[in-house]
Amino acid sequence: MRIRELSRRSGVAIPTIKYYLREGLLDAGQATAANQAEYDEAHLRRLRLIRALVEVGRVSISSARAVIDALGRDDIPPHDLLGIAHNAVAPTRRPDRDSDQWRAARRRAGDYVAERGWRVSPDAIGLDQLADTLAALESLHVTEMLNGLDAYAEAAQSIARVEVANVVARRDPVRMLELVVIGTVLGDALLDALRLLAHEHESAVQLGADRPGRPARPDAQPEIC
Amino acid sequence: MRIRELSRRSGVAIPTIKYYLREGLLDAGQATAANQAEYDEAHLRRLRLIRALVEVGRVSISSARAVIDALGRDDIPPHDLLGIAHNAVAPTRRPDRDSDQWRAARRRAGDYVAERGWRVSPDAIGLDQLADTLAALESLHVTEMLNGLDAYAEAAQSIARVEVANVVARRDPVRMLELVVIGTVLGDALLDALRLLAHEHESAVQLGADRPGRPARPDAQPEIC
């Protein structure tokens, strides 16, 4: 297909495609004339992955290139490929990680994951993020959440099990990576949205509001079931 | 206590406390001399809530004031107070919500929540956010996640149930709101971190890597249990 068709099918504007070509994220098409090239389905899949990385994952061009390069090597097993994609999408290091408090939280994060029997690299970015959150919860004295990590961990694992199974089922490495990137970013957004809604529902149930989103009548009585 | 002690116990710097006083987020202390005031435990709790809103929730001063003002009124039932806090912390409206595609996604979001029997206001911010994510997943053709919403919804509800119970158990409205704000923001961060770690674990399990975070040996065989 020509670049116009590639643009139409991928939803990526032609100038942006040309930019990705210049940056080496997308391989050049097959030249058919002095100023024309032909693209194929592999270009389309690659472009969708780039779009997932750059537009959805808000990954820098250099991080996107690291993922694309890893994809081109055949000595990296799928589990490590997914790790590379994950790390590219994960937020960058925050500045406040040099305190004793943070290092203590980091150790607790490692211990917690070990207790759960999770097979996780000792330098996983997720451990740093978990330590960030634990340190913040401690400084704010939110003991309920610190003591209730299991509820979060179980929910996270139940989702991760389904998500990884979906990734594995795609088989094709490019399409697997695409789902890792999209799944990480949009999965977070999906969960946040549903959690917000579930909060409203649970609040209505547990605080006995008589109608969603409306103030409960002052004389409202708890329902007797 | 004097302002120095209030600063030490709350972890909020004195100039920042003075700023909150000027902005009317924090009530003035009891004047004890021309240039001195005495603060009590209520000031400390309020300051922790402001800190949760502004520093953790990254809420604007005017949104924080809306939450604080609602807290001062005794005609707003707890369920609605939590809704006000939620809405203050929720991300602001994105620009791409005028398309037919988005409106269709918004209807699907409403239908989905109704199918689950969740008691949610028809104009809940979470429905808009859910529609954002559904529309993005559709434009990227991620059918696995679109067809697998239940896994996310169940995980979200299991966490929300615990979180709302924790909020209700605090009884004092200021401390309840504090936990809603912190819980919404840091709960998202906690879940994201644990999900990242659970992905690595599940990837190791499902793709049979022999060791966390290390490339599997090329000759590695699946374990036989």
Side-chain angles (χ1 to χ4, degrees):
Chain A
M1 74 195 94
R2 302 276 288 279
I3 195 166
R4 181 183 300 275
E5 171 79 357
L6 184 64
S7 167
R8 193 188 61 74
R9 288 183 60 192
S10 65
V12 178
I14 292 178
T16 308
I17 294 178
K18 289 184 174 169
Y19 171 67
Y20 293 154
L21 285 164
R22 279 199 306 277
E23 289 289 327
L25 288 177
L26 189 66
D27 289 337
Q30 181 83 29
T32 51
N35 208 5
Q36 272 184 19
E38 190 69 17
Y39 299 90
D40 59 19
E41 295 296 319
H43 285 97
L44 183 62
R45 280 197 304 276
R46 176 63 53 98
L47 202 47
R48 285 204 176 121
L49 175 61
I50 297 169
R51 190 180 165 204
L53 283 165
V54 176
E55 293 181 23
V56 180
R58 302 194 184 287
V59 159
S60 68
I61 294 295
S62 64
S63 294
R65 191 183 292 116
V67 176
I68 301 284
D69 287 349
L71 201 58
R73 293 172 53 184
D74 52 10
D75 59 341
I76 302 182
H79 173 60
D80 296 296
L81 260 184
L82 301 197
I84 290 167
H86 251 138
N87 289 352
V89 181
T92 46
R93 207 180 152 78
R94 296 190 209 170
D96 57 347
R97 285 176 171 170
D98 284 326
S99 63
D100 287 343
Q101 196 201 19
W102 189 84
R103 278 186 289 269
R106 181 64 173 70
R107 279 190 298 276
R108 261 193 309 285
D111 291 347
Y112 181 74
V113 163
E115 273 167 36
R116 290 201 73 83
W118 283 1
R119 293 164 61 181
V120 164
S121 158
D123 55 356
I125 285 180
L127 286 173
D128 290 345
Q129 288 183 18
L130 182 55
D132 290 342
T133 313
L134 294 180
L137 288 171
E138 267 164 26
S139 79
L140 294 164
H141 306 287
V142 189
T143 46
E144 296 95 332
M145 287 171 72
L146 287 165
N147 296 334
L149 291 184
D150 288 350
Y152 292 88
E154 276 152 29
Q157 189 167 4
S158 72
I159 291 172
R161 191 175 294 126
V162 174
E163 289 176 321
V164 172
N166 284 337
V167 167
V168 172
R170 282 198 166 188
R171 308 182 78 91
D172 172 55
V174 176
R175 301 202 66 237
M176 287 169 75
L177 274 204
E178 184 194 49
L179 189 56
V180 170
V181 172
I182 295 171
T184 301
V185 178
L186 290 184
D188 282 356
L190 190 58
L191 203 50
D192 291 351
L194 287 165
R195 193 162 146 266
L196 204 58
L197 294 164
H199 273 154
E200 185 173 336
H201 168 66
E202 285 295 330
S203 172
V205 170
Q206 297 187 31
L207 288 169
D210 63 344
R211 194 172 287 219
R214 303 272 188 84
R217 289 190 310 276
D219 59 342
Q221 299 296 320
E223 284 171 34
I224 295 166
C225 304
Chain B
M1 75 193 94
R2 302 275 289 281
I3 195 167
R4 182 183 299 275
E5 171 79 358
L6 184 65
S7 168
R8 193 188 62 73
R9 288 184 61 192
S10 65
V12 178
I14 292 177
T16 308
I17 294 177
K18 289 184 174 169
Y19 171 67
Y20 294 153
L21 285 165
R22 279 198 306 277
E23 289 289 329
L25 288 176
L26 188 66
D27 289 337
Q30 181 82 29
T32 51
N35 208 6
Q36 273 183 18
E38 189 68 20
Y39 300 90
D40 58 19
E41 295 296 318
H43 285 96
L44 183 62
R45 283 197 302 276
R46 176 62 53 95
L47 202 46
R48 286 204 174 120
L49 174 60
I50 297 169
R51 192 181 163 201
L53 284 164
V54 176
E55 293 181 22
V56 180
R58 300 193 186 286
V59 160
S60 68
I61 294 293
S62 64
S63 294
R65 192 182 291 115
V67 176
I68 301 284
D69 287 349
L71 200 58
R73 293 172 53 185
D74 52 11
D75 58 340
I76 304 182
H79 173 60
D80 296 294
L81 260 184
L82 301 196
I84 290 167
H86 252 139
N87 289 353
V89 182
T92 46
R93 209 179 148 78
R94 295 192 209 170
D96 56 347
R97 286 177 169 170
D98 285 327
S99 64
D100 286 343
Q101 197 201 18
W102 189 84
R103 278 186 288 270
R106 182 64 173 72
R107 279 190 297 277
R108 260 192 311 284
D111 292 346
Y112 182 73
V113 163
E115 273 168 37
R116 289 201 73 84
W118 283 1
R119 294 163 62 181
V120 165
S121 158
D123 56 357
I125 285 180
L127 286 173
D128 291 344
Q129 288 183 18
L130 182 55
D132 290 341
T133 312
L134 294 179
L137 288 171
E138 266 164 25
S139 78
L140 294 163
H141 307 286
V142 188
T143 47
E144 296 96 330
M145 286 171 73
L146 287 166
N147 296 334
L149 290 183
D150 287 350
Y152 292 88
E154 277 152 29
Q157 189 167 5
S158 72
I159 291 172
R161 189 175 297 126
V162 173
E163 289 176 321
V164 171
N166 283 337
V167 166
V168 172
R170 282 198 167 188
R171 310 181 76 92
D172 172 55
V174 177
R175 301 203 64 235
M176 286 169 75
L177 275 204
E178 184 194 50
L179 189 56
V180 170
V181 172
I182 295 172
T184 300
V185 177
L186 290 183
D188 282 357
L190 190 58
L191 203 50
D192 291 353
L194 287 165
R195 193 162 146 264
L196 203 58
L197 293 164
H199 273 154
E200 184 174 336
H201 169 65
E202 284 296 331
S203 171
V205 170
Q206 297 187 32
L207 288 168
D210 61 344
R211 194 173 289 217
R214 303 270 186 85
R217 290 190 310 275
D219 60 342
Q221 300 296 319
E223 284 172 31
I224 296 165
C225 304

